[in-house]
Amino acid sequence: MTHKKLLPLALMLAMLPAGRALADTAAPAPLADPQSVASTPAPAMEVQSSDCSHGFLSRFAAAYREDAQPADPNAPAAKRRAMDAPLDSPPFPSSEWQLGGVPAPIGVPDTNSTYPLEKALGCTALGQWMQRNRIEMFGWVTPSGNISTSSKSNAPLSYNTRANRLEFDQFVFNITRVEDTVQTDHMDWGFDISNLYGYDYHYTVMKGVFSNQLLNNPSSNEPQNGKVYGDDPMLFYADLYIPWVAEGMVVRVGRYLSLPDIEAQFSPQNYLMTHSILYTEDPYTQMGIMTTTRLSQQWTLQLGVNASNDTAPWNHSARPTLQACVRWVSADNNDMLYPCINSLNHSDYNYNNVQMYVMTWGHRFSERVHILTEAYRMFGRNVPGFGPGGIPGEPGTSPLPGEAGAFGVVNYLNIEMDAKNMLSIRNEFYDDERGQRTGYATRYSSHTIGITHWVSQDLEIQPELRYEHSYDANAYDSGRKDYQAVALLDAIIHF
């Protein structure tokens, strides 16, 4: 049989399902036998996360299934007394212009999603008590992997420092209450307790808070000292909202994230899975008192005092340190400026006691495209080993102390491709002037492109490509190369 004879037969076979469907639609359905209807079991209904007749694990699994469905586009927006949200989240990690020191800018409602753990707890006495008191409990797990041109160390890339391996980056568990700053008729309170376990503790540890696992465990076989995996109670603070000071003030007491950075320690709060060199080498957390005051919808003032960068007040390395930031947003909501004195004192260098001045600018080109640019200058006074007379090319070898500083600038171009996908391109320049921050006195450039794909509100996948270069020294793969190329992938699994 030739192919010409086969073609009509194939067309007929292909049309059979459509013809059968049309026939079923046009012809009346035959009457069913009552006895057969009675004997046919009804299809089982899917378990709902709110169905208290089922067990916790069934409700927990149901919550993941429900979250995989499209969000209701007609859901009413929460009331707010701030400017309209400038960005879409998802796919961006936040819908607001950057502001540290508060859960969200004053006047913005609590935008935390209700994740599967909270939904599954809803039928329990604990869950109902949490709902009555607006207490939330959630977290995430972040595994990752990388393929690198370096053989042992990816530093100063972070947090995926170990080259060519799978990594358990972080398991984070949060218990929080977000103060209501939309209303203005009464004081309110909030708190946050967030614990991180995983490889990323190497970067987040505060001296005096479980820091022995890192500082007192030298390791010659790993890119970084310390135990491979560790635990860090990274956030523990209380907030008090006072609506009658200007247009609202939040007073924060405890350990909180450093204010000015575009990037953050927690995986879901970032545009890309890896971090810029600029972010890797600057302060991570402070412990002290911070005030955030809204002067108007466009202007916010922040003032605080802490025990210096990444140092607990009870540790001997603590030094009283001032913080001061101002945030301005343009009337059309297209621009944001956020200058900060992130740490200021007159003490010599002690642990991570650097003086730091930083500026962030955000600009929105359209609803789908925006940029964020951050630049800083930081330095330490009388840093041991960084005076005159050291061995050329070997930082920290001087017999005398001296000043050591760094300058960095980073730009993010962020593009919303659709409701579930975001593209981010990051370019940066970093100058470690004396080699005190990275271990190499050199200038760096790094270039990164990555996608965030939201499978559902409970699962994000982030593939990424990164290339970087050092200009004045071989700063990669433990001093063997002046460049590095890395392909990476992680997943953020919320619960």
Side-chain angles (χ1 to χ4, degrees):
M1 186 179 292
T2 67
H3 68 277
K4 293 183 178 179
K5 294 180 180 179
L6 284 171
L7 182 59
L9 179 60
L11 290 172
M12 291 177 63
L13 290 172
M15 293 178 65
L16 280 176
R20 176 61 183 272
L22 290 172
D24 290 345
T25 302
L31 294 176
D33 181 356
Q35 291 183 351
S36 66
V37 171
S39 61
T40 302
M45 298 294 290
E46 286 188 339
V47 176
Q48 303 297 310
S49 63
S50 59
D51 186 349
C52 297
S53 66
H54 292 272
F56 173 84
L57 293 179
S58 296
R59 299 195 305 271
F60 188 62
Y64 278 101
R65 185 175 62 250
E66 293 164 2
D67 288 349
Q69 303 305 311
D72 181 4
N74 300 316
K79 181 182 177 181
R80 59 191 286 150
R81 66 180 179 96
M83 301 173 72
D84 291 340
L87 310 173
D88 291 333
S89 180
F92 299 127
S94 174
S95 59
E96 307 295 330
W97 288 123
Q98 175 188 341
L99 182 66
V102 284
I106 294 172
V108 174
D110 179 7
T111 56
N112 288 335
S113 299
T114 304
Y115 291 105
L117 178 61
E118 279 188 61
K119 290 182 178 180
L121 286 171
C123 291
T124 67
L126 173 62
Q128 292 165 8
W129 175 82
M130 289 169 52
Q131 291 174 8
R132 290 193 301 270
N133 291 278
R134 303 201 331 259
I135 294 174
E136 302 168 77
M137 188 183 297
F138 59 93
W140 59 85
V141 177
T142 307
S144 70
N146 75 86
I147 300 173
S148 175
T149 56
S150 295
S151 61
K152 182 178 180 181
S153 173
N154 288 333
L157 179 151
S158 68
Y159 295 144
N160 300 84
T161 314
R162 298 199 292 177
N164 300 302
R165 61 174 296 117
L166 299 176
E167 196 69 87
F168 184 77
D169 291 340
Q170 52 183 248
F171 167 74
V172 174
F173 186 72
N174 306 279
I175 303 175
T176 186
R177 185 185 195 271
V178 177
E179 58 271 20
D180 181 1
T181 65
V182 176
Q183 56 80 28
T184 59
D185 59 0
H186 64 273
M187 297 173 65
D188 200 10
W189 58 277
F191 72 90
D192 193 302
I193 301 171
S194 296
N195 190 81
L196 179 149
Y197 175 83
Y199 189 81
D200 296 354
Y201 95 100
H202 285 92
Y203 293 90
T204 67
V205 158
M206 172 173 277
K207 190 176 184 184
V209 182
F210 295 174
S211 54
N212 286 341
Q213 59 190 322
L214 176 68
L215 303 181
N216 296 336
N217 281 278
S219 174
S220 59
N221 298 321
E222 294 288 340
Q224 299 184 90
N225 285 327
K227 296 180 179 179
V228 174
Y229 296 108
D231 189 86
D232 182 18
M234 207 172 71
L235 298 181
F236 44 89
Y237 62 75
D239 285 348
L240 178 64
Y241 166 60
I242 308 170
W244 309 298
V245 178
E247 293 190 0
M249 171 189 280
V250 172
V251 181
R252 173 166 293 182
V253 180
R255 183 184 180 192
Y256 48 84
L257 301 183
S258 183
L259 300 182
D261 291 311
I262 296 170
E263 303 165 48
Q265 290 89 330
F266 292 145
S267 300
Q269 297 174 357
N270 291 283
Y271 288 89
L272 291 164
M273 66 168 289
T274 64
H275 292 289
S276 62
I277 302 172
L278 174 144
Y279 174 81
T280 300
E281 303 301 334
D282 74 4
Y284 281 69
T285 61
Q286 283 109 5
M287 191 183 300
I289 301 174
M290 170 59 58
T291 65
T292 301
T293 305
R294 186 174 114 159
L295 305 177
S296 69
Q297 285 197 342
Q298 293 178 251
W299 290 91
T300 301
L301 173 66
Q302 296 181 294
L303 297 171
V305 60
N306 60 70
S308 77
N309 305 312
D310 303 301
T311 305
W314 51 81
N315 189 270
H316 64 85
S317 296
R319 300 290 185 272
T321 302
L322 296 175
Q323 285 180 292
C325 302
V326 177
R327 192 188 75 151
W328 169 82
V329 179
S330 62
D332 60 10
N333 218 1
N334 286 334
D335 286 279
M336 177 273 299
L337 288 175
Y338 191 29
C340 277
I341 301 173
N342 193 36
S343 48
L344 175 64
N345 60 44
H346 294 288
S347 299
D348 291 346
Y349 184 82
N350 195 325
Y351 191 58
N352 198 26
N353 181 34
V354 291
Q355 316 301 306
M356 182 178 178
Y357 307 88
V358 57
M359 167 75 85
T360 305
W361 170 51
H363 177 71
R364 182 177 64 170
F365 295 98
S366 69
E367 292 183 357
R368 290 179 174 266
V369 182
H370 70 279
I371 61 171
L372 291 165
T373 302
E374 179 181 347
Y376 71 55
R377 163 71 177 162
M378 67 180 181
F379 63 92
R381 299 187 186 94
N382 293 318
V383 186
F386 285 87
I391 301 173
E394 296 186 22
T397 58
S398 169
L400 302 172
E403 183 175 300
F407 167 80
V409 58
V410 63
N411 173 263
Y412 278 81
L413 170 63
N414 306 304
I415 302 169
E416 177 182 350
M417 296 186 287
D418 55 43
K420 289 191 172 184
N421 293 281
M422 174 201 75
L423 173 70
S424 190
I425 300 170
R426 180 179 66 209
N427 295 290
E428 76 165 319
F429 171 81
Y430 193 81
D431 186 2
D432 190 355
E433 297 164 354
R434 304 290 302 279
Q436 192 267 333
R437 304 308 293 180
T438 66
Y440 299 92
T442 183
R443 297 161 298 159
Y444 298 86
S445 64
S446 72
H447 313 278
T448 308
I449 182 169
I451 292 173
T452 298
H453 172 60
W454 293 75
V455 179
S456 72
Q457 79 162 22
D458 303 327
L459 176 59
E460 303 169 58
I461 297 175
Q462 295 179 306
E464 182 177 302
L465 295 173
R466 172 169 171 154
Y467 176 81
E468 47 203 319
H469 180 65
S470 58
Y471 294 88
D472 308 305
N474 289 338
Y476 288 97
D477 204 13
S478 301
R480 298 181 181 92
K481 300 176 181 176
D482 65 357
Y483 75 94
Q484 181 172 264
V486 189
L488 307 101
L489 176 68
D490 79 355
I492 306 171
I493 307 161
H494 298 261
F495 62 83

